[in-house]
Amino acid sequence: MAQAAGETPFNIVIVAQAGRLQYEALLFAASFRQYNRGFRGKFFIAEPQPGPLWPNDPRIKNEDLRNFLLELGAEFLPFESRHFGHSYPHGNKIEALFALPEGEPFVFFDTDTLITGDLREVPFDFDRPTASMRREGTWPKIELYGPGYTEIWKSLYDKFGLDFESSLDLSQPDEYWQRYLYFNAGFFFYRCPREFGAKFLEYALAIRDDPPAALVCQPLTPWLDQVALPLVIHALGGGRDTLPGGMLDGTHSCHYRFLPLLFAREGKHVVDTLEIVAAPNKVKKRLKDYEPALRMIYQGRGHKVRDMFDQDNLPRKEQAIRNQIRREGFWMR
């Protein structure tokens, strides 16, 4: 049964490290604080530690920025990279889960997310996980004479002893990608991070190291986390519609991914939130060290990108938006 808004304390976690992600973490933290004062759970920034799977120390070395993130209410959470590391940094979101407090409900967000509302208003059902439905049909890549969607996805459900038929959206046509359970991994949640993490790690390693024959031609980089995630959610009793539509990836959060895309396609509330949380001098003086923020937010290029598009009539494919921004010389990440 879904919990009433604000009834169950839960923790928030993002993953950050040196480079671009530390500045995305700053925007996330500033936007989270803007809308979630009095939040009863903890806000963790999970941080991979140096080790054999990282050629360099991945931690945020900028002490001033670290201290400011603490001032914004974050708590750094170190974790070890035992299976992925530098070769597959998307695996951070799996391995970070083992460092979170066991048995405490959590919501994971990708770091390139803005919080645009009070998350206590979102009726999370922590017994029935889901993830972001704001996605395109990026995987599998169907080859002309290769296996189709049904054969590929069924081979994965069979591998883990899961019921394939009950995962299907029968309102969608056979061999159309939306018929099959598929998420963007920009957010997900559950009642226990370690239980979720154990299943996520088990499935991701098994797919990486011993994929079914139907996956022989399929790329798993960078898609491995998004291949395993629907299987994890299905195995734990979740699905597509365990959250009301339009809240996460809507009124209360935005997985913008790249600042040029944010200005090109997101609603006015998202752009306003970005500019509000980036405006204070304490944020500005640190965020200006990140060139995309300097150019897009503070030097006005973002609004030049925004003026290139009709936000009510955007190109259907994200790649077309990217290409148009690139042609005008405004693409940055």
Side-chain angles (χ1 to χ4, degrees):
M1 178 179 174
Q3 301 291 335
E7 181 181 319
T8 301
F10 56 92
N11 299 322
I12 299 293
V13 61
I14 61 174
V15 175
Q17 59 192 76
R20 171 172 58 91
L21 269 63
Q22 67 187 2
Y23 298 108
E24 292 175 354
L26 172 54
L27 278 173
F28 183 99
S31 64
F32 177 73
R33 183 171 183 180
Q34 174 76 16
Y35 290 103
N36 290 268
R37 297 179 190 276
F39 183 79
R40 289 192 293 151
K42 291 186 175 181
F43 164 37
F44 292 109
I45 298 179
E47 188 178 43
Q49 300 301 290
L53 297 185
W54 295 100
N56 302 302
D57 184 345
R59 292 175 295 184
I60 297 171
K61 299 165 197 66
N62 183 327
E63 285 301 319
D64 173 68
L65 183 54
R66 292 182 74 92
N67 289 333
F68 186 55
L69 288 167
L70 293 173
E71 190 179 317
L72 289 172
E75 181 176 324
F76 282 95
L77 186 73
F79 70 92
E80 300 300 324
S81 301
R82 295 187 171 91
H83 303 281
F84 299 106
H86 177 74
S87 66
Y88 188 68
H90 293 72
N92 281 343
K93 68 182 65 175
I94 301 174
E95 299 202 77
L97 297 177
F98 293 93
L100 286 166
E102 187 170 8
E104 295 184 12
F106 76 96
V107 185
F108 168 89
F109 287 100
D110 268 346
T111 312
D112 48 358
T113 299
L114 276 184
I115 300 303
T116 55
D118 188 340
L119 295 178
R120 291 166 295 187
E121 297 170 355
V122 180
F124 293 107
D125 182 348
F126 288 105
D127 292 326
R128 299 178 64 227
T130 193
S132 174
M133 292 288 284
R134 190 181 187 189
R135 77 278 191 248
E136 295 183 346
T138 47
W139 193 93
K141 311 285 188 185
I142 301 301
E143 303 291 334
L144 185 57
Y145 298 108
Y149 285 99
T150 295
E151 185 177 348
I152 290 168
W153 278 116
K154 188 174 186 304
S155 73
L156 288 163
Y157 283 78
D158 290 348
K159 180 177 180 65
F160 299 110
L162 302 173
D163 180 61
F164 173 65
E165 297 296 326
S166 62
S167 74
L168 299 175
D169 179 353
L170 299 179
S171 71
Q172 299 288 346
D174 193 32
E175 291 300 316
Y176 179 58
W177 69 271
Q178 290 194 39
R179 185 179 179 89
Y180 310 90
L181 199 61
Y182 189 58
F183 301 102
N184 183 285
F187 76 80
F188 51 84
F189 60 85
Y190 193 54
R191 65 190 178 207
C192 175
R194 305 212 186 162
E195 190 179 347
F196 195 98
K199 190 74 71 177
F200 207 170
L201 181 64
E202 175 196 347
Y203 287 6
L205 292 179
I207 294 165
R208 182 191 72 180
D209 299 338
D210 184 26
L215 271 64
V216 65
C217 295
Q218 291 298 323
L220 289 174
T221 301
W223 313 115
L224 178 62
D225 61 327
Q226 293 191 180
V227 178
L229 184 58
L231 304 167
V232 174
I233 285 172
H234 189 66
L236 294 175
R240 291 172 182 80
D241 302 315
T242 73
L243 270 185
M247 296 192 81
L248 296 190
D249 292 329
T251 53
H252 287 63
S253 72
C254 172
H255 184 203
Y256 61 88
R257 299 181 51 227
F258 305 100
L259 287 174
L261 280 180
L262 185 156
F263 281 99
R265 69 183 182 182
E266 303 302 343
K268 182 177 183 298
H269 177 55
V270 174
V271 176
D272 288 348
T273 293
L274 174 68
E275 293 180 337
I276 288 167
V277 303
N281 283 332
K282 281 186 170 184
V283 177
K284 183 176 182 179
K285 75 176 189 178
R286 295 168 172 92
L287 201 54
K288 282 170 67 175
D289 291 338
Y290 177 45
E291 189 175 5
L294 174 66
R295 305 295 183 203
M296 289 285 148
I297 302 171
Y298 301 116
Q299 295 183 351
R301 289 190 189 179
H303 282 280
K304 292 181 180 178
V305 169
R306 193 162 183 79
D307 290 343
M308 292 163 49
F309 297 92
D310 175 357
Q311 280 74 44
D312 295 321
N313 187 29
L314 290 165
R316 192 169 60 87
K317 292 282 191 181
E318 180 186 300
Q319 192 59 50
I321 300 174
R322 291 188 186 212
N323 290 344
Q324 190 169 337
I325 297 171
R326 280 195 178 94
R327 280 196 299 273
E328 298 298 325
F330 289 135
W331 183 257
M332 306 185 81
R333 64 165 298 179

